[in-house]
Amino acid sequence: MQLLPGFRDLFPDDCARRNYILSRWRETALRYGFVEYDGPVLESTELYRKKSGGEIVGQLFDFKDKGEREVAMRPEMTPTLARMVIARERDFRKPLKWFSVSQFFRYEKQQRGRLREFYQLNCDIIGEASLAADAEIVALVIDALRAFGFTAHDFVVRISDRDAWLSFLQAKGVDAGGGQFLQIIDKLERETEEATARKLGEFGLNLGEVREFIAEPGVHFERFNQLAADLDARGMAGFYRLDPTIVRGLAYYTGLVFEVFDRKGKLRALAGGGRYDNLLRDMSDGAVNLPALGFGMGDVVLGELIADTPAAVEKWERWRQSAAEIYVVIAKEDRRSDAIRAVQEMRENGLRVDYPLAPAKVGKQFQNAEQLGARFAVLFGDEWPAVKIKTLATRQETTLPREELLGRIQRLAP
Ligand code: HAM
């Protein structure tokens, strides 16, 4: 009865951490005026074979369903989003700014930062060709990380432009196989020099000229420079840099692409994205021709970076402590029904309240309150018909008539 490799049991602490990540993501996307959507977990395998391309196709959790359909658990959101937009594009004003927070499945080799099941925040803008949209998306990826307490010392967005590489190829007189060439560049950091040199040889190119282009990208990255000006105006100058080696593994990208990494370079990518201006057109045989761009950010590497960054841990701890705000301590069992009435009253007024289901020593109840991270204890005991409020962090106590409890606690724990 063992857990499958690459899958996670989320015990309450893990679940709280997962929920923290998901709620910060939602908050940030909403702040940028994005609206939430979702799609099915299962799609026809065809969708990914044709549209994602690259490594992902070999990592599908795919099978035949009982109706003999070839289906796959979703490994990413972008093809689903494109399918949905094509189906009802006319119903929405452009540009669409849509986000989703959902679970994905890839049959990858389990390693640090890579599991077979993970969550992603996906944010995409559809129907806007101008660079303003690229800047908005990169700013959003930066703020989605700043929401966790990270600064420019913790992560960096590495930005590139696929078209710059395609013009490099053109300048070298190579006019076919752009996609295959980009795959070589995508694997540059992961493959041996010999293997890379051999593959480049098939295009009549050598590693030297590729390295030269990376070192002196010059005029080919004009679009990057314009994007940089927009980001700088937002005060985001330290958060990104040009990196021609980023070309992205998925087949549908066109134009600007980016990946986000931790500054120490210890972890795998936190997020990745870019433009995919032709995907909707290709998927709809030309019927819907809308430019598009976006990114996906995963929860696994992000969780590791949080654990590694003291400021982010502190922020998470503060969030967690707001979970159980009030613990009602029943110091005298004959006050239990008065206590429960007060619990109910506070809950109905939106407060988070817990109390002991069975009789227990007062000391034990306080221990419980602290373990749950409660901020206040409310005592029902000898003081009756008054009650006592204790602020757990400062040990400060106030005794007040029972009727004043709700008003006072609402002011203390808004
Ligand atoms: P991706 O680069 O394949 O892009 O994934 C984005 C992020 O998802 C990665 O940077 C990583 O944090 C996380 N991720 C991917 N695979 C795994 C895994 N096996 N385990 C844990 N985390 C993982 C896409 O998926 C594109 N559809 C993103 C996009 C949206 N592009 C445009 N719009």
Side-chain angles (χ1 to χ4, degrees):
M1 301 299 262
Q2 270 183 1
L3 187 65
L4 287 169
F7 285 79
R8 297 175 280 188
D9 284 330
L10 298 182
F11 287 94
D13 243 7
D14 314 312
C15 206
R17 216 167 285 134
R18 197 268 322 261
N19 291 349
Y20 169 65
I21 291 178
L22 271 45
S23 74
R24 280 280 113 98
W25 279 349
R26 282 206 169 88
E27 270 166 34
T28 314
L30 290 168
R31 267 199 277 139
Y32 271 70
F34 281 62
V35 293
E36 188 165 358
Y37 71 99
D38 203 354
V41 175
L42 211 61
E43 288 271 18
S44 107
T45 309
E46 191 74 358
L47 184 65
Y48 305 113
R49 255 196 224 123
K50 279 202 176 141
K51 296 308 161 201
S52 303
E55 258 173 349
I56 238 181
V57 178
Q59 299 169 337
L60 289 174
F61 269 93
D62 52 348
F63 56 94
K64 242 189 206 145
D65 73 4
K66 290 192 167 65
E68 296 295 307
R69 294 173 203 89
E70 300 269 1
V71 292
M73 311 274 285
R74 59 182 172 192
E76 60 151 335
M77 200 62 180
T78 313
T80 297
L81 172 63
R83 187 179 55 65
M84 287 169 64
V85 173
I86 288 166
R88 285 194 38 198
E89 169 263 320
R90 276 158 209 241
D91 298 346
F92 305 99
R93 217 150 34 102
K94 280 16 132 241
L96 310 183
K97 292 168 72 179
W98 285 11
F99 81 96
S100 72
V101 172
S102 20
Q103 197 176 22
F104 299 92
F105 304 87
R106 294 185 193 178
Y107 197 87
E108 283 198 62
K109 205 167 146 225
Q110 188 183 343
Q111 50 189 302
R112 186 158 189 219
R114 287 291 179 271
L115 298 174
R116 288 182 176 168
E117 156 276 315
F118 54 95
Y119 285 81
Q120 267 186 4
L121 164 68
N122 273 267
C123 297
D124 293 85
I125 299 179
I126 295 180
E128 180 56 60
S130 80
L131 261 169
D134 302 66
E136 183 79 349
I137 280 289
V138 176
L140 175 49
V141 87
I142 290 170
D143 273 338
L145 287 167
R146 289 213 292 192
F148 294 94
F150 298 124
T151 67
H153 298 294
D154 301 312
F155 71 91
V156 60
V157 187
R158 288 154 61 175
I159 305 171
S160 180
D161 191 339
R162 276 194 170 193
D163 289 340
W165 279 109
L166 298 180
S167 29
F168 163 85
L169 277 189
Q170 223 169 24
K172 300 282 174 194
V174 183
D175 47 28
Q180 272 167 307
F181 171 76
L182 290 171
Q183 299 237 339
I184 305 176
I185 303 301
D186 183 47
K187 296 205 170 74
L188 214 53
E189 287 179 9
R190 282 172 281 160
E191 277 196 328
T192 62
E193 292 213 341
E194 294 78 57
T196 307
R198 184 172 32 77
K199 286 191 196 162
L200 286 174
E202 289 166 23
F203 286 87
L205 297 166
N206 64 59
L207 191 53
E209 49 196 342
V210 166
R211 291 235 184 269
E212 225 167 86
F213 181 75
I214 293 169
E216 302 249 351
V219 292
H220 296 291
F221 287 90
E222 181 45 33
R223 261 203 305 231
F224 165 82
N225 295 331
Q226 290 169 30
L227 175 73
D230 185 317
L231 293 172
D232 292 356
R234 300 176 195 232
M236 291 179 163
F239 286 96
Y240 67 86
R241 70 176 166 85
L242 174 66
D243 181 348
T245 65
I246 300 292
V247 291
R248 307 281 295 135
L250 294 157
Y252 46 68
Y253 289 111
T254 57
L256 284 172
V257 286
F258 58 89
E259 283 183 6
V260 187
F261 288 90
D262 63 301
R263 279 276 183 198
K264 292 184 192 147
K266 284 205 309 201
L267 306 171
R268 310 217 20 191
L270 287 146
R275 275 216 170 256
Y276 49 98
D277 282 345
N278 302 332
L279 182 63
L280 278 79
R281 184 198 67 196
D282 294 349
M283 268 177 72
S284 64
D285 292 325
V288 177
N289 192 1
L290 289 170
L293 73 162
F295 70 83
M297 177 183 293
D299 68 320
V300 182
V301 183
L302 178 57
E304 293 192 3
L305 190 60
I306 292 174
D308 244 19
T309 313
V313 171
E314 198 181 304
K315 204 161 178 171
W316 142 246
E317 291 289 351
R318 244 182 292 138
W319 188 84
R320 181 168 54 173
Q321 266 156 27
S322 64
E325 265 165 2
I326 298 155
Y327 195 89
V328 168
V329 171
I330 305 176
K332 280 253 153 70
E333 270 307 310
D334 45 0
R335 294 275 76 83
R336 180 168 283 271
S337 59
D338 298 312
I340 289 174
R341 214 165 297 133
V343 167
Q344 184 64 23
E345 181 185 69
M346 289 188 281
R347 285 177 175 168
E348 279 171 11
N349 281 278
L351 293 161
R352 274 173 288 188
V353 190
D354 206 354
Y355 71 99
L357 291 176
K361 294 220 171 77
V362 173
K364 209 111 208 202
Q365 294 188 48
F366 271 106
Q367 256 177 17
N368 217 355
E370 294 203 359
Q371 250 164 28
L372 288 168
R375 288 165 63 201
F376 305 102
V378 178
L379 249 89
F380 282 73
D382 286 337
E383 296 80 9
W384 192 259
V387 295
K388 207 186 315 188
I389 298 178
K390 187 165 173 178
T391 305
L392 290 166
T394 59
R395 317 238 159 235
Q396 212 175 0
E397 294 184 349
T398 332
T399 305
L400 71 167
R402 157 70 181 93
E403 311 79 70
E404 291 174 20
L405 175 62
L406 181 65
R408 182 75 63 91
I409 205 93
Q410 274 177 322
R411 260 173 281 134
L412 287 169

